[in-house]
Amino acid sequence: MKRNKYILLGVILLVSITMARNTEVGISTVFKQDEPVPTETGPRAGLLAPAFSLTAMDGKTYSVGGAKDKATFVSFWASWCEPCKQEAPELNRMAAKYKDKLDLYGVNVTSYDKLKDAKAFVDEYQLKFPIPLDEKGTVYAQYNGVAFPTNVLIDSRGVIQEIILGILPEKELERKIKELVAN
């Protein structure tokens, strides 16, 4: 069983690295904001985001799902993920810049990580946004997680606009965030 977990981690790492090198990464289906709110929930663009509540490193509980005052950006990550390390400073900047229009959550998939390593990562990159802990990996599984980072852009209606596997260049990421919060 342990061997299978290490094989899975290796595959996830390899996919993450490969996707980080490709500027056209991700699932690029974007749902149109002016369409009616869907009734189906699921981990793809155009569906309502699967709801979840997780306790974060700050001890508070954060929830995703349903309509909110702001758009939501969820980044699933692990401390050993090299693309996650590259993306962390960008996410910090985006969280600060768009704080009035965007809730950004950095969900640590603790089932693929170690809590002490995740805390060290947060300290090293001085992350200022909430870090919910997915200790059993159930939320990551709800979103069909296959790579780190996996970023989910959710509009204020609770509809997934896009799922991005791997990282994007900072300008491209900001363009997508601007589009998300503009609607």
Side-chain angles (χ1 to χ4, degrees):
M1 186 68 177
K2 271 191 173 186
R3 181 173 173 244
N4 289 342
K5 185 175 180 179
Y6 289 116
I7 290 171
L8 177 61
L9 287 174
V11 169
I12 290 170
L13 179 60
L14 186 61
V15 168
S16 294
I17 290 169
T18 302
M19 293 180 128
R21 292 182 182 157
N22 181 354
T23 58
E24 295 296 321
V25 292
I27 298 169
S28 59
T29 305
V30 177
F31 184 70
K32 302 278 188 217
Q33 184 75 15
D34 56 350
E35 293 182 17
V37 176
T39 56
E40 186 180 350
T41 298
R44 71 168 203 251
L47 298 181
L48 291 170
F52 68 87
S53 292
L54 292 171
T55 303
M57 286 187 182
D58 63 7
K60 296 179 184 174
T61 299
Y62 295 90
S63 298
V64 169
K68 295 185 161 206
D69 293 337
K70 301 179 188 180
T72 304
F73 184 108
V74 178
S75 180
F76 293 98
W77 65 278
S79 65
W80 47 263
C81 163
E82 287 302 319
C84 300
K85 293 174 185 179
Q86 293 173 344
E87 186 178 60
E90 294 171 20
L91 293 183
N92 233 4
R93 284 191 290 279
M94 296 300 145
K97 186 172 184 176
Y98 295 98
K99 67 181 177 195
D100 295 331
K101 298 178 181 180
L102 180 74
D103 286 329
L104 193 149
Y105 303 126
V107 177
N108 176 260
V109 186
T110 320
S111 60
Y112 290 103
D113 207 346
K114 294 181 180 158
L115 183 57
K116 69 177 181 62
D117 294 340
K119 287 180 179 180
F121 183 101
V122 169
D123 290 343
E124 179 179 346
Y125 292 98
Q126 300 176 357
L127 300 181
K128 304 293 185 209
F129 48 87
I131 308 295
L133 301 172
D134 186 8
E135 296 182 56
K136 295 180 181 174
T138 53
V139 175
Y140 187 58
Q142 273 185 291
Y143 281 81
N144 292 339
V146 295
F148 293 118
T150 293
N151 294 322
V152 184
L153 286 73
I154 305 166
D155 69 21
S156 61
R157 302 172 310 153
V159 177
I160 295 176
Q161 293 298 304
E162 188 169 5
I163 296 175
I164 303 164
L165 304 178
I167 61 174
L168 296 174
E170 186 171 3
K171 286 183 182 181
E172 179 69 8
L173 178 63
E174 184 164 13
R175 183 185 66 74
K176 289 180 180 292
I177 290 173
K178 281 182 181 177
E179 288 175 7
L180 181 69
V181 300
N183 293 321

